[in-house]
Amino acid sequence: MRHKNRVFASALVHKKEYMEVTMEIIKANPIATLKQIAEEAGVSIDTVSRVLNGKNKEVWPSTAARAANIRLIAQRLNYSPNVLARSTRTGKFGCIALLQAAESNRSILSVSLLQGIQDAVHAANVNLTLTKLPDDKLINEGAAPKILREWLADGLLINYQADIPQRMIELIDASDFPYIWINSKHASNCVYPEDFEASRAATEYLLSLGHTRIAYAEYVYNHSPGIRPSHYSADERLDGYTMAMQGAGLTPRLLSLKRPLNHEEALQYSRECLASPDRPTAVLAYCPHETSALLYAMAMEKLRVGEDVSVMTFGEELDEISGAATTKMEIQWGEIGRVSTQMLLDKIAAPEKQIPSRGVKLRLRTGATCRPPSQSGGGSR
Amino acid sequence: MLKRSKSTLRQIAKEAGVSIDTVSRVLNGRNKELWPGTMQRAATIRAIAQKLKYRPNSSARAIRTGRSNAMALLQSSVAQNSYLPWPLLNGIYDAMERHDLHLMLSRMPDEKLVNPAIIPEILRYTMSDGLLVNYHSRMPAQLVELIGQYQIPAIFINVKADADCVYSDDHLAGKIACQELIKRGHRQISYIDYHNNHSDPETHYSAFDRYRGYVDAMREAGLVAELRGGQFMTPEQRIAECTRLLKLEERPTAILAYSEDSASFLTYAASMLGVRMPQDLSIATFSNQPAIVCGIKLTTLVSPWQQIGELSVELLKSKIKDPAVALASKAVPFVLYEGTSVVHPVLV
């Protein structure tokens, strides 16, 4: 048996014990049952079950009337069909939890990610609950079991991206509560966007258009010595770009002050970079933050988007500030949501199995912000 | 495989040599641990509980009480019909946490939501005691009827009606935003909305209410209101419209934009034309957070999503207690954020 962390182990769902407790309670507290309803309606328990589970075919007027009658009786008897009763039979809650950090900037929950998770959850006929926790609750040994036992979930989707406390990773990896990490890289049990590949593909796309003066812009992270960017994509996107440039025999050029820039600074710095005669003909921007600064800077410098300078980025937001859709490597959040949920369901079915990590490819979406460089050599107009 | 453990409160009590009541108090965090002796005893009890892998169960409580202690956030399976900004989710979550409730995220296709066989069972399907219905457009009409008919506890978010709704006060926000511009001496103030079709009654109430608030403020000040757009436009059309507006001889000195999105097209067009902001053009808008576009902090009426979320949970709590009682809807005011985008118009 694998060594298990005691804190998390104490909070595990022990199905046999759980079933014993719940069965006792069910016996001691008879609420309206299918049987009672069946007796009162003068039909079989099966029929009641079918009707109340929405599996009844109500094609004929008489069947429909009978079903309506059954529903009325159920309502009158205050029948509360209980998922918990079902979970006692199956030993599962039929529910998974999505875990978010308390600070929104550390757990990006895009609409498509939630959609993807809900697609998969819906298809598997399980429920989804959302939990948001401050770090201290997860790394404080006393608090964790209290939270876990309240979850009523069979497994966890952990949607933490930035600054994940090492202690939390240790505790979770040591637990045997089924879990999958979303958008952070671990040895196993995680689903993440393939940022390195995406950045290389993006750079190669700009190369294929004929650009040679391609720069990479990043205004988000602190690169002081000894500090690691809080998300792996910072390194991977830069590396993917660098590798593609070097592969083409070109010198990479970085537009960055190696520290986070606010909106004003970002705009000012972008203007300086674009005003100089040796400006790049294409810029690959780390995220929408650099992209919008670059687009506004171009408007102010009277540079035409695409014609004078091509701009490309990553992500799914930021569209059409300049009146034209941004060319981008689109993160497939929907797919990430579906894949991670399916992985978690597999993990719940076979908790002993280590599931290999899986990268999800980004897709090139060509907009109108990238064109071949102009004939004059790019720099001047 | 895990070893079968048969740990109950009784077993823990026996091992610790205390009463079951004491164990229960300690493990539920209701114990007063003021004396060193009490603290030590509590620590022992917790250690034993941990050793025995005791897991007090909220589902057991749920079966006992007939409540699942959860609320479901019900959203459309068509993404565009339900709008869930992070602060709304946060507000809902925070209020539920205060009341020790779970948040279930549920999504159902419309045909299920209008199925009379499903609605009476919806609390079971969603594992909840009540619904927060979050549709900002195209909510199936029968859903509302069925919820009323079967007295399902439900509160509607981002919908404007007399009862059981929590929504933002867009009319007041439109008025306040416009008054901010008037206060600074602007007389020629245009309103732009390139997103919503103002001739379609199905359009979200915020489109009409923000505009009406602006119109009322203009009228009270004896000024002439002007709507630009009022229909859905493509990005190219938006840029073209903004450019045309800014090139007018009688160019407005201030513009109120329906959304941050509209404001971003405006600032982009202004940047291209060399129209200086805020010296030549003041801008105010509405958004989920203080808007920053083109490096400028825009004066923003910030949507009160966090409070809307919290308030809906509070209302739903009352509704769960008594589903038959209609609750008066709540309109939540926006918060004014003063940016640097509004100054006195330069008089030439």
Side-chain angles (χ1 to χ4, degrees), chain A residues 11-12 17-18 20 52-53 81 83 100 104 115 119 127-130 132 149-150 264 296 302 320, chain B residues 4 7 55-57 59 79 86 90 93-94 102-103 105 107 121 124-125 127 264-265 267 272 294-295:
Chain A
L12 295 177
E17 179 209 345
Y18 165 70
E20 281 169 18
L52 297 182
N53 284 299
V83 226
Q100 298 273 119
S104 59
Q115 284 275 336
D119 282 344
N127 277 302
L128 176 67
T129 183
L130 181 121
K132 202 182 70 180
R149 74 176 181 243
E150 291 286 337
E264 269 171 294
Y296 282 117
K302 308 275 179 234
E320 301 160 348
Chain B
R4 182 184 164 170
S7 57
R55 184 177 184 276
N57 216 307
S59 54
W86 173 258
N90 244 5
Y93 185 86
D94 290 349
H102 296 277
L103 168 57
L105 297 173
R107 206 185 59 182
E121 303 298 310
R124 180 166 67 92
Y125 284 120
M127 283 176 84
S264 75
F265 285 98
T267 51
M272 280 201 299
C294 192

Side-chain angles (χ1 to χ4, degrees), chain A residues 1 6-7 10-14 16-18 20-22 25-26 29 52-54 71 75 81-84 93 95 100 104 109 114-115 118-119 122 127-132 137 148-152 263-264 267 295-296 299-300 302 305 320-323, chain B residues 1-2 4-7 27 50-51 53-64 79 84 86 89-90 93-94 97 102-107 109 116-117 120-121 124-127 150 235-236 239 264-265 267-268 271-274 292-295 297:
Chain A
M1 189 175 95
R6 300 189 68 185
V7 176
S10 69
L12 295 177
V13 185
H14 292 287
K16 280 179 185 164
E17 179 209 345
Y18 165 70
E20 281 169 18
V21 174
T22 41
I25 292 165
I26 288 173
N29 297 269
L52 297 182
N53 284 299
R71 278 192 285 271
Q75 207 184 331
N82 217 313
V83 226
L84 301 161
F93 294 110
C95 183
Q100 298 273 119
S104 59
L109 180 60
L114 190 56
Q115 284 275 336
Q118 289 192 299
D119 282 344
H122 196 78
N127 277 302
L128 176 67
T129 183
L130 181 121
T131 311
K132 202 182 70 180
K137 285 216 176 175
L148 283 169
R149 74 176 181 243
E150 291 286 337
W151 275 342
L152 296 185
H263 292 266
E264 269 171 294
L267 184 64
L295 291 173
Y296 282 117
M300 290 171 161
K302 308 275 179 234
V305 179
E320 301 160 348
I321 283 181
S322 61
Chain B
M1 284 297 292
L2 283 169
R4 182 184 164 170
S5 67
K6 199 184 175 185
S7 57
L27 297 180
Q50 207 179 327
K51 189 181 67 176
K53 296 179 176 179
Y54 171 70
R55 184 177 184 276
N57 216 307
S58 51
S59 54
R61 184 183 63 191
I63 291 173
R64 224 166 35 235
L84 183 62
W86 173 258
L89 187 59
N90 244 5
Y93 185 86
D94 290 349
E97 196 181 35
H102 296 277
L103 168 57
M104 305 300 301
L105 297 173
S106 304
R107 206 185 59 182
E121 303 298 310
R124 180 166 67 92
Y125 284 120
T126 56
M127 283 176 84
Y150 290 98
E236 291 87 344
I239 289 287
S264 75
F265 285 98
T267 51
Y268 188 79
S271 305
M272 280 201 299
L273 295 171
I292 303 176
V293 289
C294 192
K297 296 184 183 79

Side-chain angles (χ1 to χ4, degrees), chain B residues 67-111:
Chain B
R67 291 239 192 269
S68 41
N69 293 307
M71 291 178 182
L73 178 63
L74 184 65
Q75 307 225 95
S76 171
S77 53
V78 182
Q80 301 90 287
N81 292 349
S82 292
Y83 180 55
L84 183 62
W86 173 258
L88 174 59
L89 187 59
N90 244 5
I92 291 171
Y93 185 86
D94 290 349
M96 286 196 193
E97 196 181 35
R98 275 201 294 278
H99 296 298
D100 207 10
L101 295 166
H102 296 277
L103 168 57
M104 305 300 301
L105 297 173
S106 304
R107 206 185 59 182
M108 282 197 187
D110 287 355
E111 63 268 23

Side-chain angles (χ1 to χ4, degrees), chain A residues 118-295:
Chain A
Q118 289 192 299
D119 282 344
V121 154
H122 196 78
N125 201 20
V126 294
N127 277 302
L128 176 67
T129 183
L130 181 121
T131 311
K132 202 182 70 180
L133 290 178
D135 291 345
D136 57 335
K137 285 216 176 175
L138 269 170
I139 54 183
N140 173 333
E141 302 222 353
K146 183 170 181 295
I147 296 154
L148 283 169
R149 74 176 181 243
E150 291 286 337
W151 275 342
L152 296 185
D154 300 318
L156 273 185
L157 289 173
I158 308 172
N159 185 35
Y160 271 59
Q161 285 98 58
D163 302 320
I164 306 171
Q166 189 54 37
R167 184 78 183 123
M168 172 179 160
I169 298 175
E170 286 165 14
L171 285 172
I172 287 179
D173 283 348
S175 76
D176 54 5
F177 201 88
Y179 64 89
I180 298 291
W181 296 95
I182 296 177
N183 197 13
S184 69
K185 279 193 141 175
H186 303 266
S188 57
N189 304 325
C190 75
V191 183
Y192 56 90
E194 286 267 26
D195 281 296
F196 176 83
E197 284 305 325
S199 189
R200 189 155 77 171
T203 312
E204 280 164 1
Y205 171 70
L206 292 170
L207 288 166
S208 76
L209 290 178
H211 291 279
T212 51
R213 284 154 59 185
I214 306 168
Y216 175 83
E218 192 250 282
Y219 310 157
V220 176
Y221 297 102
N222 189 340
H223 294 267
S224 307
I227 296 180
R228 283 192 55 75
S230 53
H231 191 252
Y232 72 87
S233 60
D235 289 338
E236 291 204 356
R237 288 182 193 171
L238 176 60
D239 292 349
Y241 157 78
T242 308
M243 187 156 289
M245 289 295 277
Q246 286 168 347
L250 297 166
T251 314
R253 178 175 169 191
L254 189 57
L255 305 185
S256 174
L257 294 176
K258 310 230 169 210
R259 65 177 172 86
L261 302 184
N262 67 29
H263 292 266
E264 269 171 294
E265 293 171 329
L267 184 64
Q268 190 51 41
Y269 177 64
S270 302
R271 287 187 75 172
E272 284 164 22
C273 294
L274 294 173
S276 81
D278 72 331
R279 67 173 152 261
T281 60
V283 184
L284 179 59
Y286 171 73
C287 74
H289 178 54
E290 297 82 10
T291 315
S292 68
L294 287 161
L295 291 173

